[in-house]
Amino acid sequence: GQVLWTSAGHAYRPGVSLSPDGQTIAYGSEELLRVGAVGTAGEIWGAHPSSITDIEFSANGQFIATLSYGGVAVWERATRNPQFLPGM
């Protein structure tokens, strides 16, 4: 197989997700969401109130959901804007 991503240089990486088309990777870097082409470090899209613990792409690839102890955020890929839903 081919290496798609490595966590070199990043200490904390619990949330990682590959887009449905296999071209984009999203991962949490502490409180930051990074998104980019497979094989790149990605760009920082924004931050959560606490460390990101899980990430998933929507089935159509248009949205990314991120989970942290501070709540859930749904990011629209076209605008990179999140909608935060606070934790209970």
Side-chain angles (χ1 to χ4, degrees), residues 15-58:
V16 176
S17 186
L18 188 63
S19 64
D21 66 7
Q23 300 299 308
T24 305
I25 195 162
Y27 63 93
S29 179
E30 300 287 343
E31 292 88 10
L32 301 176
L33 171 63
R34 290 182 172 267
V35 180
V38 169
T40 70
E43 297 178 11
I44 295 172
W45 277 22
H48 262 262
S50 60
S51 294
I52 294 171
T53 58
D54 198 14
I55 298 174
E56 290 294 331
F57 279 87
S58 64

